[in-house]
Amino acid sequence: MSTDTAQGISDTPYAKRTRELIKLITQLRGVGAQADVDLPRIAVIGNQSAGKSSLVEALSGITVPRSSGTCTRCPMECRLTQAPGEPWKCQVSLRSEYSDETGKRLPEIREKKFGPLITDPSLLEDTLRRAQLAILNPTVDHGKFVDFDVSRIGTDPPLGSPKQLQFSKNVVCLDLSGPEVTDLSFIDLPGIISNVAHGEDRGNIELVRNLVMEHIQGNCLILLTLTMRDDIENQSAGFLAKQVDPKGRRTIGVLTKPDTLQPGEEQMWLNVLEGRRHPLFHGYYMTKQPGTKELTEKLTWEEARAREK
């Protein structure tokens, strides 16, 4: 889409109204209204290593932190606003909604800015790493993580933290705007896991499932990420989506990693795409995102989109 076309669409009454509604919902969520009102939202879910991070990058145009195993350890809320004629910018914030000790919702929701406004997209990935680290170490002043050396992540609990959490229900928030950004708001949830690393609490399996279930209940459009490397029946994310949306009326399926299909497996997924197996009201979309080798090349968003073709 050309810049002129994008600007034309962004100036329509519908687009302006959409921006106003997204802003209102963001403000309500930021003060804890979700506890009393079932605010509309889009949640991105999927099993661990299903290609969910690549999908989030394609939707938002940003680069999210990656590592071996689980990448996302807490929810990440992306609030995107198209701003024709203005430079790209992003403000990261942290929203504390729950007590990490009891798991109960806090009486007062707090959302605070984390670090300065970012105007260089290449700086965002490390800022997100630091923000997630701050969420996972709630006993340490969040401000101390703003300039934390990311090369030390993965070692002992940082900055004197008595213990680093493995997952948290509290949220890293991104307010991102620019001329090529789409008006959209969604929340990326940790990948559903079926096992844990040595030394980690097996209770995390249930913790993540409960976290996902809590977000996809009610007034939620579910963006269900399914890898074509594994049979659909083996993917817990699909099972959870069906539990809360048995008729498939508010679930959109996104099939990833089609290049990993083996000869003879095509018909199984054709049956899914054509609605003969696991039908969804909004259907399925198939997407090819950068593979492991391509990720090491640090592709730009534009390069990744070109290779999709």
Side-chain angles (χ1 to χ4, degrees), residues 169-207:
K169 297 168 73 174
N170 292 317
V171 187
V172 174
C173 304
L174 285 74
D175 286 292
L176 197 154
S177 64
E180 298 181 0
V181 175
T182 302
D183 290 311
L184 183 66
S185 179
F186 63 89
I187 188 159
D188 175 31
L189 299 173
I192 298 164
I193 56 177
S194 56
N195 209 342
V196 294
H198 177 70
E200 290 194 356
D201 184 0
R202 288 195 61 82
N204 287 332
I205 298 172
E206 194 65 24
L207 185 152

Side-chain angles (χ1 to χ4, degrees), residues 7-271:
Q7 290 182 2
I9 294 173
S10 69
D11 288 335
T12 63
Y14 174 80
K16 292 178 180 178
R17 180 62 174 159
T18 299
R19 277 195 293 275
E20 291 171 358
L21 290 173
I22 290 176
K23 184 177 180 181
L24 174 61
I25 292 168
T26 297
Q27 291 172 340
L28 289 172
R29 187 167 283 116
V31 296
Q34 180 66 33
D36 302 304
V37 182
D38 191 8
L39 297 172
R41 59 204 175 277
I42 300 172
V44 185
I45 71 170
N47 279 35
Q48 179 183 335
S49 303
K52 186 171 59 64
S53 294
S54 293
L55 177 61
V56 168
E57 291 180 346
L59 288 170
S60 62
I62 65 173
T63 301
V64 299
R66 295 174 181 274
S67 61
S68 59
T70 305
C71 302
T72 308
R73 295 277 178 168
C74 64
M76 183 176 71
E77 187 172 296
C78 297
R79 303 170 318 210
L80 316 179
T81 304
Q82 190 173 72
E86 296 185 15
W88 184 96
K89 59 185 177 183
C90 180
Q91 177 65 59
V92 176
S93 303
L94 306 181
R95 187 167 71 235
S96 299
E97 297 186 19
Y98 296 90
S99 164
D100 287 303
E101 293 181 356
T102 65
K104 295 181 179 179
R105 186 177 288 271
L106 297 171
E108 180 182 354
I109 306 302
R110 302 183 303 275
E111 186 168 312
K112 295 184 178 180
K113 292 181 179 179
F114 181 81
L117 185 71
I118 299 171
T119 56
D120 181 353
S122 68
L123 300 178
L124 181 56
E125 181 179 356
D126 281 348
T127 300
L128 292 178
R129 292 183 188 277
R130 296 181 181 109
Q132 181 168 262
L133 198 63
I135 288 283
L136 297 176
N137 293 274
T139 60
V140 180
D141 179 13
H142 289 168
K144 293 184 178 180
F145 288 98
V146 171
D147 297 314
F148 186 78
D149 181 2
V150 294
S151 67
R152 294 171 55 197
I153 294 177
T155 57
D156 294 332
L159 300 175
S161 176
K163 182 181 179 181
Q164 181 170 304
L165 302 175
Q166 292 162 2
F167 290 93
S168 175
K169 297 168 73 174
N170 292 317
V171 187
V172 174
C173 304
L174 285 74
D175 286 292
L176 197 154
S177 64
E180 298 181 0
V181 175
T182 302
D183 290 311
L184 183 66
S185 179
F186 63 89
I187 188 159
D188 175 31
L189 299 173
I192 298 164
I193 56 177
S194 56
N195 209 342
V196 294
H198 177 70
E200 290 194 356
D201 184 0
R202 288 195 61 82
N204 287 332
I205 298 172
E206 194 65 24
L207 185 152
V208 173
R209 288 172 66 93
N210 291 339
L211 171 63
V212 170
M213 286 292 285
E214 183 175 321
H215 277 274
I216 63 177
Q217 301 277 354
N219 196 11
C220 176
L221 182 65
I222 304 168
L223 203 57
L224 172 62
T225 311
L226 297 164
T227 173
M228 299 174 78
R229 290 178 61 180
D230 195 7
D231 192 275
I232 194 169
E233 280 84 5
N234 295 335
Q235 301 186 55
S236 301
F239 174 74
L240 296 185
K242 196 165 187 176
Q243 275 192 296
V244 299
D245 182 29
K247 295 184 178 179
R249 298 193 66 84
R250 54 184 182 87
T251 302
I252 298 175
V254 181
L255 307 183
T256 65
K257 307 184 181 182
D259 52 317
T260 63
L261 278 180
Q262 299 299 310
E265 296 179 342
E266 300 87 349
Q267 189 59 49
M268 174 179 69
W269 289 104
L270 278 174
N271 289 336

